[in-house]
């Protein structure tokens, strides 16, 4: 390949168009089957992709490498838009967001300073303004795009810690770092919350000891009375409660913690309330079910993931905060990047509120898809996912061969077929490698459960019925073997 980059030269433009068209054709050809996976086990995949070297003395050229891609890689990638893929909070990507990804990659903006991303900066700022309004935040709120829910949660926990230390403890942790008093800080989250809580506490120097896991009730929601007791116990022990994290859509069950009650407890104890709504943030788009997450506006910060219910390409997340002044915890100026005089003249440098420096223009996917689909289109996407989950739950509940846990609040269904843990594990493996169907697996109450995470709006009730029947067939064969 003679061309290096896409430039204004006609030869480079033609080379780019040819490469993109060729690649698009190969991708569509790889969607040759409706299943989610072609079947190879790990050992087989290792053999398929093994090379003597990936850095030859002389380049092989695009055509030879592309042939390898078409024959070895594309057929074995997960086809996440397949109706047979329902394992995780990871789904298909809307067509307009795939087009947006091409623009993002081709122009390669870096979202740290205005002079690296002029119009991209303004679009991210505009998108954040509308997102804040969507979740009920008023003027004075703000946000920033991140790499995913873990980073959004970590950002919120940093802001909560610094806010609490500055305003409640009268201590500048940004300037002086962690002291003995900070080692007593405690944050409270559901016992089934995301592991990014512990990871963030470790990174912040607070340690796992700072994360107090609160029991859940029979519907997998945080037990408010248990939370109150744990806060009081910590106060008596000399510890310092500073943060409550409510989960709006737990990873396995999609359960939603009671934000109204959590807000009252946080206010009574001068604590920050963060909502990890990485999963459930999409519910706000529903004309039927948005009331389930309407209390998000009570939280001091919100994690929103667009590569989950919003069915956009990875990665795309944001953290929103009620008071934009709290972003000062992350602001530091450098003459080579975010000069104060530029900002005084209206040049926004988004690095001032981001853990990342170099960062992708992910806001474009949201900006485009919101306008393309509109409220009606988005409501249909979200409603379909949620109603599919309720349908499947009711089907399983009515069948004595299955055990189901909680009624879904969003779009996850956790269940098992009656029998041993080995039976349920075997079924998941058989579905993947023999039928190309990828579903999830988890544990609850010491038992192995299977899980459907229904993000794909193309899934029908008939498809769910078919997979349920297949699971029963596999179980019968296993028991009769």
């Amino acid at each position: 390949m003679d061309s290096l980059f896409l430039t204004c030269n006609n030869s480079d433009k033609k080379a780019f168009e040819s490469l993109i068209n060729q690649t698009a054709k190969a991708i569509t050809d790889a969607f040759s089957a409706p299943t989610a996976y072609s079947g190879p086990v790990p050992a087989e995949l290792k053999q398929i992709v093994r090379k003597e070297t990936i850095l030859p003395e002389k380049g092989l050229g695009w055509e030879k490498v592309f042939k390898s891609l078409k024959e070895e890689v594309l057929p074995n990638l997960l086809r996440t838009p397949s109706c047979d893929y329902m394992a995780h909070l990871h789904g298909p990507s809307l067509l307009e967001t795939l087009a947006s990804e091409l623009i993002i990659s081709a122009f390669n903006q870096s979202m740290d300073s205005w002079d690296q991303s002029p119009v991209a900066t303004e679009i991210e700022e505009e998108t954040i303004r509308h997102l804040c309004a969507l979740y009920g935040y008023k003027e004075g709120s703000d946000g920033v795009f991140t790499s995913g829910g873990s980073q959004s949660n970590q950002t919120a926990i940093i802001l909560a810690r610094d806010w609490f230390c500055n305003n409640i403890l009268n201590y500048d942790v940004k300037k002086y770092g962690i002291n003995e008093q900070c080692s007593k800080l405690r944050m409270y989250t559901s016992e089934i919350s995301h592991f990014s809580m512990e990871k963030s506490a470790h990174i912040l120097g607070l340690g796992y000891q700072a994360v107090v896991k609160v029991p859940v009730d029979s519907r997998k929601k945080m037990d408010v009375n248990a939370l109150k007791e744990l806060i009081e116990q910590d106060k008596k022990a000399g510890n310092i409660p500073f943060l409550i994290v409510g989960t709006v859509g737990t990873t396995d069950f999609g359960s939603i913690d009671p934000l109204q009650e959590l807000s009252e407890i946080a206010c009574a104890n001068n604590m920050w309330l963060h909502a990890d709504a990485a999963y459930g943030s999409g519910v706000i788009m529903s004309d039927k079910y948005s009331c389930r997450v309407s209390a998000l506006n009570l939280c001091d910060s919100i994690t929103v993931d667009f590569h989950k219910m919003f069915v956009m390409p990875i990665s795309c997340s944001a953290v929103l905060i009620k008071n934009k002044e709290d972003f000062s915890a992350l602001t530091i100026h450098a003459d080579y990047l975010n000069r104060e005089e530029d900002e005084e003249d209206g040049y926004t440098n988004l690095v001032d509120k981001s853990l990342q420096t170099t960062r992708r223009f992910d806001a474009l996917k949201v900006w485009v898809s919101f306008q393309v689909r509109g409220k009606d289109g988005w409501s249909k996407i979200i409603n379909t996912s949620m109603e599919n989950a309720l349908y499947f739950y009711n089907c399983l509940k009515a069948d004595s061969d299955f055990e189901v846990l909680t009624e879904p609040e969003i779009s996850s269904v956790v269940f098992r077929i009656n029998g041993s843990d080995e039976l349920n594990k075997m079924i998941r493996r058989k579905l993947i490698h023999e039928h190309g169907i990828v579903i999830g697996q988890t544990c609850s109450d010491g038992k192995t459960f299977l899980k459907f995470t229904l993000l794909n709006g193309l899934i029908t009730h008939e498809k769910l019925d078919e997979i349920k029947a297949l699971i029963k067939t596999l179980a019968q064969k296993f028991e009769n073997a």
Side-chain angles (χ1 to χ4, degrees):
M1 183 180 292
D2 295 327
S3 294
L4 282 176
F5 311 116
L6 172 59
T7 72
C8 61
N9 293 331
N10 285 333
S11 60
D12 293 334
K13 290 180 182 180
K14 289 179 180 178
F16 174 77
E17 289 177 2
S18 174
L19 186 146
I20 294 301
N21 290 335
Q22 193 179 19
T23 304
K25 177 66 165 57
I27 291 171
T28 55
D29 287 347
F31 279 80
S32 58
T35 54
Y37 183 53
S38 56
V41 297
E44 293 170 327
L45 285 180
K46 291 180 191 298
Q47 191 60 39
I48 289 170
V49 303
R50 190 172 299 280
K51 306 284 184 186
E52 288 185 15
T53 178
I54 61 167
L55 186 62
E57 291 295 326
K58 292 186 177 181
L60 303 178
W62 167 250
E63 293 301 330
K64 190 169 184 179
V65 175
F66 187 58
K67 183 175 185 292
S68 176
L69 276 171
K70 288 194 295 183
E71 295 176 356
E72 301 165 0
V73 179
L74 298 188
N76 294 308
L77 289 171
L78 281 178
R79 292 180 284 271
T80 54
S82 167
C83 293
D84 287 336
Y85 184 73
M86 52 189 74
H88 301 284
L89 289 166
H90 165 214
S93 299
L94 294 166
L95 287 175
E96 68 270 16
T97 63
L98 298 179
S100 300
E101 279 285 350
L102 180 58
I103 295 170
I104 292 167
S105 297
F107 284 89
N108 201 34
Q109 311 293 280
S110 183
M111 303 303 297
D112 38 333
S113 62
W114 191 93
D115 60 3
Q116 296 179 83
S117 53
V119 73
T121 294
E122 304 305 337
I123 285 177
E124 177 165 326
E125 288 282 84
E126 179 70 357
T127 303
I128 287 291
R129 183 174 72 85
H130 285 280
L131 288 173
C132 286
L134 178 66
Y135 288 98
Y137 279 180
K138 298 179 180 178
E139 188 174 349
S141 56
D142 203 354
V144 69
F145 276 76
T146 74
S147 66
S150 290
Q151 190 181 84
S152 291
N153 287 335
Q154 183 184 344
T155 301
I157 294 169
I158 291 170
L159 301 184
R161 181 200 62 184
D162 282 36
W163 168 83
F164 188 88
C165 287
N166 286 332
N167 293 280
I168 307 301
L169 301 183
N170 295 314
Y171 176 72
D172 191 342
V173 70
K174 180 177 179 179
K175 184 179 292 185
Y176 301 111
I178 298 292
N179 63 6
E180 185 177 349
Q181 191 177 32
C182 292
S183 69
K184 298 179 180 179
L185 290 172
R186 295 292 181 266
M187 54 183 281
Y188 303 81
T189 185
S190 158
E191 63 182 351
I192 56 173
S193 65
H194 195 260
F195 67 81
S196 56
M197 306 309 157
E198 287 94 334
K199 186 175 285 189
S200 296
H202 167 214
I203 292 170
L204 269 61
L206 303 177
Y208 287 1
Q209 66 170 1
V211 183
V212 181
K213 289 303 190 81
V214 183
V216 295
D217 61 21
S218 61
R219 296 199 63 196
K220 307 298 183 181
K221 298 171 179 283
M222 189 188 295
D223 186 324
V224 173
N225 290 327
L227 171 63
K228 292 177 181 177
E229 291 176 7
L230 287 167
I231 290 173
E232 290 307 312
Q233 288 173 15
D234 270 324
K235 285 182 175 180
K236 290 177 182 177
N239 294 319
I240 306 172
F242 81 102
L243 168 66
I244 299 171
V245 178
T247 306
V248 180
T250 55
T251 304
D252 277 339
F253 305 100
S255 45
I256 299 173
D257 288 338
L259 297 182
Q260 178 73 50
E261 291 92 331
L262 298 187
S263 175
E264 293 169 3
I265 295 170
C267 290
N269 291 278
N270 291 322
M271 299 168 70
W272 182 289
L273 176 60
H274 172 61
D276 176 9
Y279 179 5
S281 49
V283 178
I284 200 72
M285 306 296 270
S286 168
D287 60 353
K288 295 182 180 180
Y289 308 111
S290 61
C291 58
R292 296 184 185 181
V293 298
S294 59
L296 280 168
N297 68 333
L298 301 175
C299 302
D300 297 292
S301 53
I302 308 168
T303 286
V304 180
D305 266 13
F306 299 99
H307 51 236
K308 292 186 171 69
M309 283 198 88
F310 286 96
V311 287
M312 298 186 194
I314 296 168
S315 62
C316 196
S317 179
V319 59
L320 309 177
I321 65 172
K322 185 174 287 188
N323 182 2
K324 65 181 180 181
E325 301 303 323
D326 291 318
F327 269 133
S328 63
L330 300 178
T331 302
I332 184 169
H333 287 95
D335 290 337
Y336 56 80
L337 189 63
N338 56 336
R339 293 162 294 276
E340 291 186 77
E341 66 264 23
D342 285 352
E343 293 172 5
E344 291 169 359
D345 291 335
Y347 294 87
T348 301
N349 297 310
L350 296 178
V351 73
D352 288 352
K353 53 184 179 178
S354 174
L355 291 179
Q356 295 170 271
T357 304
T358 303
R359 187 164 56 82
R360 301 176 80 251
F361 179 28
D362 289 317
L364 182 66
K365 291 176 278 193
V366 180
W367 190 80
V368 168
S369 66
F370 274 29
Q371 294 179 80
V372 167
R373 302 287 165 173
K375 289 183 178 180
D376 58 339
W378 274 107
S379 185
K380 182 179 180 181
I381 290 170
I382 301 301
N383 290 349
T384 300
S385 295
M386 296 178 71
E387 288 166 2
N388 275 342
L390 184 59
Y391 170 82
F392 190 55
Y393 167 80
N394 286 328
C395 288
L396 294 170
K397 189 177 180 182
D399 190 328
S400 60
D401 287 333
F402 291 91
E403 175 186 350
V404 284
L405 291 178
T406 61
E407 181 177 327
E409 284 191 275
I410 306 180
S411 61
S412 294
V413 185
V414 179
F415 66 98
R416 72 196 311 270
I417 192 161
N418 293 333
S420 65
D421 286 348
E422 289 70 25
L423 169 64
N424 283 273
K425 292 176 182 178
M426 178 279 297
I427 286 171
R428 188 180 73 93
R429 292 279 179 88
K430 290 279 187 182
L431 289 174
I432 293 173
H433 297 296
E434 295 181 10
H435 299 275
I437 299 171
V438 187
I439 68 170
Q441 177 182 311
T442 190
C443 288
S444 182
D445 302 322
K447 295 189 292 187
T448 297
F449 280 81
L450 303 175
K451 181 176 67 168
F452 281 15
T453 306
L454 300 171
L455 302 180
N456 189 334
L458 298 179
I459 294 174
T460 63
H461 292 179
E462 291 75 18
K463 165 60 74 173
L464 295 170
D465 292 341
E466 288 173 10
I467 299 177
K468 174 175 170 283
L470 177 57
I471 290 172
K472 293 182 73 167
T473 299
L474 291 173
Q476 289 168 1
K477 288 182 179 179
F478 180 81
E479 296 291 354
N480 293 331

